[in-house]
Amino acid sequence: MSLYYVQKFLFELNRSPQLQEAYTADRRAVLEPYALSDEEAEALTAPDIGKLYVLGVNGQILMHFAAFHQIEWQDYLQRMRDGIDDHGPVRAGVYAITGYEGTRAHSESLGQDRGVE
Amino acid sequence: MPLVYAGVCSHAPGIRGRKDLADPEVRDAFYGAFDGMRADLEASGAEAVIVIAAEHFANFFMNNMPSFAIGMADFYDGPIEDPGWLGIERFRATGDRDLSERVITEVMNTVDIAYAEEWLFDHGIAVPLSFLTPRFDLPVIPVNINCQGPPLTPLHRAWAFGEALRRAVDAVPEKVAIIGTGGISHWPATPDSGKINWEWDQDFMVKWCDNDRDALLDYDDLQVYADAGQGGFEIRTFLAVSAAAGGAQGTVHFMEPIPIFAVSCTIASYDLSTSDPAD
Ligand SMILES: [Fe+2]
């Protein structure tokens, strides 16, 4: 697990037009300097938004990566929900502190019966 | 000069970026409340504004995360986000390096902070400024409290920091305003984006208006996370303003849940005539 380096790469990508260009040219090559597992590198190159969410990437970083890939807002939210369905609960990071298991369970924990907008 | 204005407002990126997806009636009422805040800020005679924001990994990351940071530059560029996504064109906001340095020097007497001579504004500062100083011409001093990357700034330190800011502001000859941005309950950029804990928000703002230090410092991060989401961690910026307001009583000018903006959109301020920071 190297969530720190997954997020570090995304943090730097979000800030740097040069890195964005390099990523567009060769998604694999730009990941070389970061200590990533194969699973993490695959999620970053695909890109697999749902998997990145499950790995624990903070939404404040992930939403910009989605926007960079022209993924619309509602689609971005849905991909994270699908990620939970496909890969199980968030594994690390701030969203894992209460054992996150999806939007429905979360609504129930808040005593809210309506779904998300 | 004594602090001339203290208030808080929401800063969610959707406020500008997703404005066309919101119910126009409530959105326009919220925008109107921002206009009211701008009028109050202008009427205060403020010559500079300290914006206490919770930024979102734009400048500060876990490779070197300060509990507190204050900007010290003559200008700041933004937004760091894609302008189309955020709904705010690129701008260069006016700063005041000299005033920043004097504020920082005073704050450092009681709170250990980081300072930054370079700072790219993200939505935490850009969204409020786009309403409050739309030409980005009122000198701004950006401030960040770590509400993002745990371990987070303890609430009681955010309070001490707010008190230190007040001492610093009162000590300079300029008229200075303080505005906190962020929160309240929300689950930003997650599958739960759009959820709002309205009861929690109302309860929090009652405590904020009462400037009830004990109640405000009694929040516990794990419970905040469960009740108010990761976005709830941003109450640190509101608490710093409470402390800076020195016991003043507050008024909520606008507060409505706008799910597509992902928060209870809020505008509130303190009546500084009821403030006594020496208390
Ligand atoms: Fe925020």
Side-chain angles (χ1 to χ4, degrees):
Chain A
M1 294 291 290
S2 41
L3 175 61
Y4 173 77
Y5 286 104
V6 176
Q7 298 201 97
K8 176 138 196 238
F9 168 72
L10 292 173
F11 164 72
E12 292 182 341
L13 185 78
N14 289 341
R15 290 175 60 85
S16 166
Q18 289 79 13
L19 189 57
Q20 289 166 12
E21 249 174 64
Y23 173 85
T24 304
D26 188 339
R27 295 181 182 186
R28 263 291 161 180
V30 295
L31 298 179
E32 202 55 45
Y34 301 88
L36 301 168
S37 69
D38 290 344
E39 185 182 35
E40 290 161 345
E42 270 159 37
L44 287 169
T45 46
D48 187 340
I49 299 296
K51 173 63 78 64
L52 290 168
Y53 179 71
V54 167
L55 289 173
V57 174
N58 194 295
Q60 298 291 351
I61 293 174
L62 190 56
M63 69 175 169
H64 299 302
F65 187 56
F68 173 69
H69 281 289
Q70 314 291 327
I71 296 165
E72 296 300 325
W73 184 249
Q74 295 298 344
D75 186 17
Y76 161 67
L77 300 180
Q78 190 56 46
R79 286 182 192 218
M80 289 187 289
R81 291 171 196 141
D82 294 345
I84 299 278
D85 289 344
D86 294 346
H87 308 295
V90 175
R91 297 177 198 169
V94 73
Y95 307 130
I97 61 178
T98 54
Y100 187 77
E101 289 188 2
T103 55
R104 186 173 302 274
H106 181 254
S107 289
E108 281 165 9
S109 76
L110 287 173
Q112 297 179 354
D113 47 12
R114 71 184 173 84
V116 291
E117 307 288 320
Chain B
M1 301 272 286
L3 179 68
V4 295
Y5 179 87
V8 290
C9 64
S10 307
H11 71 208
I15 292 170
R16 286 293 193 193
R18 298 193 288 276
K19 66 177 187 299
D20 295 336
L21 300 176
D23 172 355
E25 203 170 316
V26 63
R27 175 200 64 201
D28 291 345
F30 176 46
Y31 281 18
F34 254 129
D35 289 340
M37 191 180 201
R38 180 176 68 231
D40 289 346
L41 181 64
E42 286 170 359
S44 77
E47 298 164 282
V49 58
I50 294 174
V51 180
I52 307 173
E55 73 137 45
H56 317 79
F57 308 117
N59 302 273
F60 307 107
F61 185 66
M62 279 75 78
N63 59 345
N64 192 3
M65 178 64 86
S67 251
F68 306 104
I70 301 182
M72 192 169 74
D74 281 324
F75 66 86
Y76 305 94
D77 290 333
I80 193 167
E81 295 95 341
D82 177 72
W85 180 87
L86 188 59
I88 297 175
E89 287 307 310
R90 296 239 186 268
F91 60 84
R92 173 161 285 188
T94 304
D96 184 337
R97 191 190 183 287
D98 178 69
L99 176 60
S100 277
E101 185 172 345
R102 284 179 280 130
V103 168
I104 288 164
T105 303
E106 173 53 36
V107 168
M108 278 179 162
N109 282 319
T110 49
V111 180
D112 301 320
I113 59 160
Y115 59 83
E117 294 203 47
E118 213 184 316
W119 193 311
L120 293 172
F121 288 174
D122 78 358
H123 61 269
I125 292 177
V127 168
L129 285 189
S130 73
F131 289 97
L132 300 175
T133 65
R135 289 183 303 282
F136 301 97
D137 53 356
L138 181 68
V140 58
I141 299 177
V143 170
N144 189 58
I145 301 178
N146 176 20
C147 306
Q148 298 293 345
L152 303 175
T153 307
L155 297 183
H156 67 97
R157 295 307 294 159
W159 192 275
F161 177 67
E163 291 178 331
L165 276 179
R166 175 63 182 268
R167 282 192 290 274
V169 164
D170 288 353
V172 297
E174 290 91 342
K175 292 181 178 172
V176 179
I178 295 182
I179 293 174
T181 83
I184 330 171
S185 73
H186 61 310
W187 285 262
T190 74
D192 301 298
S193 174
K195 285 180 185 170
I196 287 163
N197 191 338
W198 176 235
E199 289 74 28
W200 194 91
D201 288 348
Q202 289 174 298
D203 182 60
F204 175 81
M205 286 310 294
V206 167
K207 292 168 180 164
W208 189 87
C209 286
D210 288 346
N211 207 331
D212 186 341
R213 179 181 185 276
D214 291 344
L216 291 170
L217 293 185
D218 199 39
Y219 283 96
D220 166 79
D221 275 339
L222 262 186
Q223 196 60 47
V224 168
Y225 184 81
D227 296 336
Q230 193 206 342
F233 294 153
E234 293 181 342
I235 59 172
R236 285 161 173 76
T237 68
F238 282 43
L239 263 60
V241 174
S242 300
Q249 298 296 291
T251 304
V252 172
H253 304 290
F254 183 90
M255 190 170 167
E256 287 287 338
I258 305 183
I260 192 66
F261 294 170
V263 286
S264 294
C265 291
T266 305
I267 305 269
S269 67
Y270 282 116
D271 175 1
L272 291 174
S273 71
T274 60
S275 165
D276 183 1
D279 257 4

